[in-house]
């Protein structure tokens, strides 16, 4: 069987132009060495393009490796490390990739370059398109546009055996790479607590004179989901330079958007230790948000400023590149030190900063756009996880921070929800909602379900799951409203205008 698998992965590589016919003997021998095999006398002859997906072929090969003690332990991570080492055989050196990307960008256009690079990352199975297709996706219509909802099923969960092994690992004196976003990840073999990156390839960019790298995310949440990160391991920081960085990026890749998580705990992303941005080719609901009111900033009269119809407090700047960057810097300068006790806004407590923002840049209709979502991580006794953050009533659905992706109108939800919602739907259909209270995995959803289920009458059994998904969308919308620093009431609207007058 393993000899057949070797020929299958060779056929896959050949049909996807990762190798040429002249490379087959070399590639076969490299695979034999990794698998500790001395010959290939049981192999069938090559018979054309691979019929199986890379995921299926690699799963068979790593199964063989686990059964023959080629892995330290049979866990998902060690299998992933082994499978990545297999694909690294068929991955070109970084210099080759960078040269081809720049050739396509220079001789044709940026879209040609990203099209090629994204497809290449799929072929070498860094971008796991087949796993990403496992995600459960739907849309919910709201007063702010159509929000995208996705239950993340692509990224495998760690099993108890793996968690136990990690607990026994010694703490290294020096971590290498320092984090998941460091440039040293390119080609890194991986370990139990750090994923393999042997087939990761990076494209260097100059942004505002600084050195940055562009890569695709292996587990994508949207089309061509990419990450742009600093060459230096420095913390996330929102300052005037970030606006120049983002606008430089959309000048290089004008068909992409790019945005940044906030740089403070509670309202920031999952990685605050390394400066990075999220980018891609996707139209979020935020991009389609309508203007409620248009303003002119006194010091930047050539830039159009719009208050957007959005659950969070979102402003849009439109104009020439340098002027948009300067106007964004002005808004941040004022917001960073802004206080308004009437709506609970306090820029700092002692030396602890509270006010920050999410910036998102685009190049659209011949002009540069910069959306700014105002954020605050101030807490109180009533809201220890943040006054302008998710409420405990949403924690049954998701506990993580509302980051840049959610702020633009896409909810990234935990994989557990698929089974939980299926079980709840079955109980509701049988009229046994009360049984939720006795089931440990469903009890947390009981109050949420009871808050809306009686509003639905004469529904069919087949419609219950759709009702639950709709209500998840409504709960997500309410959460975004909770995260808005200036609320959608008369007091909030007046307070927002007072802030804008300060510009």
């Amino acid at each position: 069987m393993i000899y057949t698998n070797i020929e299958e992965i060779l056929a896959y590589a050949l049909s996807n132009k990762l190798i040429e016919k002249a490379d087959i003997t070399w590639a076969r021998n490299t695979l034999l060495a990794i698998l500790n095999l001395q010959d290939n006398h049981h192999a069938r002859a090559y018979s054309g393009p691979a019929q199986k997906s890379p995921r299926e072929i690699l799963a068979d090969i790593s199964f063989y490796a686990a059964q023959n003690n080629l892995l330290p332990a049979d866990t998902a991570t060690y299998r992933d490390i082994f499978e990545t080492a297999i694909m690294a055989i068929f991955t070109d050196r970084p210099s080759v990739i960078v040269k081809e990307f720049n050739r396509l960008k220079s001789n044709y256009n940026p879209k040609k370059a990203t099209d090629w690079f994204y497809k290449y990352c799929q072929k070498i199975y860094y971008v796991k398109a087949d796993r990403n297709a496992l995600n459960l996706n739907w849309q919910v219509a709201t007063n702010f546009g159509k929000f995208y909802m996705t239950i993340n099923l692509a990224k495998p969960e760690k099993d108890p055996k793996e968690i136990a092994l990690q607990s026994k690992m010694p703490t290294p004196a020096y971590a290498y790479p320092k984090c998941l976003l460091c440039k040293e990840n390119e080609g890194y073999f991986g370990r139990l607590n750090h994923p393999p990156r042997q087939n990761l390839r990076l494209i260097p960019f100059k942004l505002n004179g600084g050195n940055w790298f562009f890569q695709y995310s292996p587990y994508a949440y949207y089309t061509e989901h990419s990450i742009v990160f600093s060459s230096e391991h420095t913390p996330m920081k929102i300052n005037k330079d970030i606006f120049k960085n983002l606008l430089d990026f959309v000048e290089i890749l004008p068909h992409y958007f790019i945005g940044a998580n906030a740089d403070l705990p509670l309202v920031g992303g999952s990685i605050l230790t390394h400066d990075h941005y999220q980018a891609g080719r996707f139209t979020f609901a935020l991009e389609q948000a309508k203007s409620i009111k248009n303003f002119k900033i006194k010091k930047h009269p050539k830039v159009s400023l719009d208050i957007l119809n959005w659950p969070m407090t979102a402003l849009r700047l439109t104009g020439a590149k340098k002027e948009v960057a300067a106007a964004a810097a002005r808004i941040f300068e004022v917001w960073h030190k802004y206080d308004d006790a009437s709506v609970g806004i306090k820029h700092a407590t002692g030396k602890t900063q509270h006010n920050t923002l999410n910036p998102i840049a685009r190049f659209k209709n011949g002009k540069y756009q910069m959306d700014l979502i105002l954020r605050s991580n101030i807490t109180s006794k009533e809201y220890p996880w943040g006054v302008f953050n998710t409420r405990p009533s949403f924690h049954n659905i998701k506990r993580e921070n509302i980051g840049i992706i959610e702020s633009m109108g896409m909810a990234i939800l935990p994989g557990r929800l698929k089974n939980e919602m299926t079980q709840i739907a079955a109980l509701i259909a049988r009229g046994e909602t009360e049984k939720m209270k006795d089931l440990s995995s469903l009890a947390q959803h009981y109050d949420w379900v009871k808050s809306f289920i009686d509003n639905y009458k004469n529904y069919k059994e087949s419609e219950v799951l759709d009702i639950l998904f709709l209500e998840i969308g409504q709960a997500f919308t309410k959460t975004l409203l909770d995260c808005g620093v200036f609320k959608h009431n008369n007091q909030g609207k007046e307070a927002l205008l007072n802030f804008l007058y300060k510009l």
Side-chain angles (χ1 to χ4, degrees):
M1 179 65 178
I2 186 59
Y3 296 102
T4 299
N5 299 146
I6 288 172
E7 298 307 310
E8 286 173 335
I9 198 66
L10 289 172
Y12 171 81
L14 189 63
S15 64
N16 283 279
K17 299 181 179 180
L18 298 176
I19 58 173
E20 298 180 10
K21 285 188 177 181
D23 300 320
I24 288 179
T25 299
W26 160 81
R28 182 184 290 119
N29 285 333
T30 305
L31 288 165
L32 290 171
I34 289 177
L35 292 162
N36 198 26
L37 297 169
Q38 298 302 315
D39 57 57
N40 202 44
H41 66 277
H42 295 295
R44 60 171 173 79
Y46 170 69
S47 59
Q51 300 299 312
K52 292 161 68 174
S53 71
R55 179 188 176 196
E56 293 170 316
I57 302 169
L58 291 169
D60 287 341
I61 294 175
S62 65
F63 176 78
Y64 171 87
Q67 293 297 304
N68 288 272
N69 300 316
L70 299 178
L71 308 181
D74 186 8
T75 69
T77 294
Y78 281 128
R79 285 196 181 204
D80 189 29
I81 289 172
F82 195 85
E83 292 172 10
T84 304
I86 297 294
M87 292 310 299
I89 297 169
F90 308 109
T91 304
D92 277 328
R93 296 187 309 277
S95 59
V96 176
I97 301 301
V98 173
K99 188 178 295 184
E100 179 63 8
F101 183 92
N102 289 333
R103 184 189 72 82
L104 292 170
K105 185 165 71 70
S106 299
N107 294 353
Y108 297 94
N109 55 59
K111 183 178 178 297
K112 188 89 170 177
T114 56
D115 283 350
W116 169 80
F117 187 43
Y118 189 65
K119 288 176 183 175
Y120 182 80
C121 290
Q122 289 179 312
K123 289 177 180 179
I124 60 175
Y125 209 52
Y126 184 77
V127 173
K128 296 170 172 57
D130 56 350
R131 290 202 62 87
N132 294 332
L134 299 174
N135 291 340
L136 185 59
N137 303 303
W138 72 98
Q139 295 182 45
V140 175
T142 75
N143 293 332
F144 307 99
K146 285 187 177 180
F147 287 169
Y148 289 85
M149 320 296 293
T150 180
I151 293 179
N152 180 19
L153 301 172
K155 198 170 184 179
E157 294 186 74
K158 292 184 178 178
D159 59 39
K161 184 195 298 185
E162 199 163 288
I163 295 171
L165 287 170
Q166 281 196 18
S167 68
K168 297 176 182 178
M169 290 183 66
T171 302
Y174 176 79
Y176 179 86
K178 290 183 179 179
C179 78
L180 295 175
L181 295 177
C182 285
K183 61 185 178 182
E184 288 80 13
N185 280 280
E186 188 174 37
Y188 183 67
F189 185 76
R191 57 182 186 268
L192 192 59
N193 60 355
H194 194 106
R197 293 290 185 258
Q198 284 184 280
N199 57 344
L200 166 65
R201 293 298 178 261
L202 307 173
I203 306 296
F205 281 172
K206 279 283 187 182
L207 303 180
N208 189 31
N211 295 318
W212 294 73
F213 289 96
F214 170 80
Q215 71 164 83
Y216 286 109
S217 173
Y219 297 104
Y221 294 133
Y222 51 82
T223 307
E224 298 181 33
H225 184 176
S226 39
I227 301 167
V228 180
F229 62 91
S230 173
S231 63
E232 302 296 328
H233 183 72
T234 54
M236 288 285 295
K237 189 65 178 175
I238 304 294
N239 55 31
K240 64 180 181 180
D241 290 330
I242 193 172
F243 310 115
K244 296 177 182 178
N245 292 345
L246 300 185
L247 292 169
D248 272 3
F249 177 85
V250 295
E251 185 174 38
I252 296 169
L253 301 182
H255 56 302
Y256 273 31
F257 80 88
I258 186 169
N261 276 304
D263 56 345
L264 299 178
L266 301 182
V267 296
S270 57
I271 299 178
L272 294 176
T273 55
H274 197 122
D275 208 1
H276 70 285
Y277 313 134
Q278 305 277 347
R281 185 160 62 177
F282 189 78
T283 302
F284 287 89
L286 176 64
E287 182 177 341
Q288 299 175 319
K290 305 297 182 183
S291 172
I292 296 174
K293 190 175 180 62
N294 179 266
F295 273 78
K296 292 292 182 183
I297 304 175
K298 292 179 182 179
K299 295 184 178 180
H300 307 280
K302 294 182 180 180
V303 176
S304 175
L305 186 156
D306 290 285
I307 302 174
L308 300 180
N309 179 37
W310 195 246
M312 302 170 75
T313 305
L315 308 174
R316 173 167 297 159
L317 300 170
T318 306
K321 181 183 172 185
K322 288 184 179 180
E323 291 166 348
V324 167
R330 172 60 182 166
I331 291 174
F332 176 70
E333 178 186 22
V334 175
W335 172 245
H336 198 242
K337 298 179 179 180
Y338 192 74
D339 296 318
D340 187 339
S342 71
V343 288
I345 294 172
K346 184 178 180 182
H347 82 278
T349 301
K351 294 183 179 180
T352 302
Q353 181 67 35
H354 297 309
N355 290 359
T356 184
L357 50 76
N358 292 125
I360 305 103
R362 302 178 207 92
F363 184 75
K364 192 170 182 179
N365 300 324
K367 294 183 178 181
Y368 289 89
Q369 280 188 355
M370 180 76 71
D371 292 350
L372 303 175
I373 302 176
L374 306 185
R375 307 296 300 271
S376 168
N377 76 346
I378 193 170
T379 61
S380 67
K381 289 183 179 179
E382 184 179 4
Y383 300 113
W385 294 107
V387 174
F388 305 106
N389 203 354
T390 57
R391 301 288 187 255
S393 58
F394 188 68
H395 287 175
N396 63 303
I397 295 171
K398 179 174 179 172
R399 289 180 176 271
E400 294 179 11
N401 299 343
I402 297 298
I404 181 64
I405 296 175
E406 287 88 356
S407 297
M408 293 187 292
M410 176 180 282
I412 309 300
L413 304 171
R416 62 176 172 80
L417 283 182
K418 181 183 179 182
N419 289 334
E420 291 172 1
M421 293 303 114
T422 301
Q423 294 174 52
I424 292 170
L427 291 175
I428 293 173
R430 296 197 301 265
E432 299 175 346
T433 307
E434 294 300 314
K435 288 187 176 181
M436 290 174 58
K437 293 188 292 185
D438 300 322
L439 298 172
S440 58
S441 62
L442 304 184
Q444 63 177 331
H445 297 296
Y446 177 77
D447 290 339
W448 171 66
V449 170
K450 291 295 288 183
S451 71
F452 63 76
I453 197 61
D454 290 340
N455 296 331
Y456 294 90
K457 308 295 182 184
N458 303 320
Y459 50 80
K460 299 177 183 178
E461 183 176 342
S462 60
E463 296 173 335
V464 179
L465 200 55
D466 289 336
I467 290 172
L468 292 174
F469 285 163
L470 173 63
E471 290 295 333
I472 288 175
Q474 299 301 327
F476 174 64
T477 304
K478 183 181 182 303
T479 290
L480 293 187
L481 286 164
D482 289 335
C483 293
V485 292
F486 294 105
K487 303 304 181 186
H488 286 248
N489 53 32
N490 290 336
Q491 184 181 22
K493 292 175 182 177
E494 182 178 351
L496 174 56
L497 292 178
N498 288 336
F499 166 70
L500 293 176
Y501 291 144
K502 297 287 186 180
L503 302 177

